[in-house]
Amino acid sequence: MTAETAQAEPTGPSRSDIDQTLRAILRDVLGLDQAQVDGFDGDTGLFGHLPELDSMAVAGLLTEMEDRLDIVIEDEDVDGEMLESYSGLLAFAEAKVIES
Amino acid sequence: MPDGHIGEEMVLSFDAKRAKRLLIVGPLFDEANKFRHQIAEIMRKLNSRGIDSFLPDLPGCNESLAPFDKQSLAHWRAGVAAAAANFRATDILAVRSGCWLVPEDGAGWLYAPAKPQQVLRSMLRARILSAKEAGREESSDALMEVARENGIDLAGWSLGPELVCEIEATEFAAPSGYRIVEQADVGGKPLWLRAENDHDPAQADAIVAMIAAEAPGA
C-alpha cells in the first residue's frame, strides 16, 4: 500500500499538498534544494539511510510535521517503518491528516 | 549561580562604545549550537554597520561553569536583565527559545519564537527515538512524570525539575516592546531545522538590515 501511495497520481489537492509540505520540511531539515527533494521517490531512504538524520533531527522533523500539517503524533505512532523511506513517511502523514 | 546570584559569565562582543548597543539572547539547548555561527555572523555584520553587540553566555550554557541542572527560566531571565543593564543595551535581539527570556520592559526583535511545549516535546521525542534504537521502550508520559520530580537528561542536556515544570507551563507571549520576526521575513531555510549545523550570510544580511533600519536613533 505504501508503494502505491507514492507512485499513484495525486487524487486531490490535499493529498498533493501533504506531499509538497513533507518535501519542503525534508528540504529544510536536510539542507537540500527544491530540485533534490522533488527527485525523492517512494523508495528514497530516510532514517537509518542518511547519516545526518539522527534522532534529534528526526524529532525536529516530526515536530515540524505536527506544526505545518496540524496533526498530533503520538509516541506509539513512531516506528522504524514510517521513518525508513519517503513513502512510509508520506503514507503516515496522509493517514494522520485524515484522522485529525 | 544556583542560589540566584548572577555570577560572571563570558561574553562575545563588539564594543566600540557606539550609540546603538544590541544584546543578543541566543536559543537554548541544541539550537544554541545550531545558531552559534549564524549569530557570530550577524554580530560581525552589525559591527560593520556601526552597531555594538553582546552575546553573553547564559549560566550553565556554552563556556559557563555553572551547573546546567540547577538552571531555570527565572534564573536565566534574571541573567538576561542583568546583562542588558551591564552592557547598557539599547535593544535586544532574541532568537527562538531565547525569546522566552527577554525583559518585559525591554524592546527589540524576537526572531521566530519557539513554543515552549514544542521544544520539550522534540527533546523527549529524540530521547524516545534513541532508546528505541537501543531496544528500549520509553514514553513521554512516563518520562515527564519522573522529570517533574527529579529532572531528566534529554538530548545531552540535564534539565532540573524546576526547568522542566517551567517549560511545560510556559505559554510564550511577546512583551509589547518587541517585534516578532518570522522566518518568512528573513527568507531562506530555517537554520534550526537543519540536521547539520549551517550558517547563511544572506539571512544574516536580512536581519542586520532590519535592525539597522529600525533601531532607535537610526
Side-chain angles (χ1 to χ4, degrees), chain A residues 27-29 31-32 47 52 55-59 62-64 66-68 72-73 75 78 83, chain B residues 30 115 118 121-123 125-126 128-130 132-133 139-141 155 189-190 193-196:
Chain A
R27 181 194 63 204
D28 290 351
V29 169
L32 301 173
F47 193 43
E52 66 269 42
S55 56
M56 194 69 213
V58 170
L62 296 174
T63 305
E64 196 66 15
E66 288 185 317
D67 215 31
R68 293 199 209 174
V72 176
I73 302 173
D75 295 342
V78 181
L83 291 169
Chain B
D30 183 52
K115 295 179 187 137
Q118 244 177 32
R121 199 173 166 82
S122 269
M123 289 202 293
R125 207 167 249 160
I128 292 167
L129 279 163
S130 301
K132 203 168 262 185
E133 275 183 282
S139 79
S140 300
D141 290 345
K189 304 182 187 94
L193 273 182
R194 292 292 308 275
E196 291 184 322

Side-chain angles (χ1 to χ4, degrees), chain B residues 5-6 16 29 52 61 64 80 99 123 130 140 155 166 174 198 210 212:
Chain B
H5 284 84
I6 303 299
F29 313 119
D52 286 348
C61 303
S64 171
V80 169
C99 299
M123 289 202 293
S130 301
S140 300
E166 281 176 317
D198 202 358
M210 188 185 65

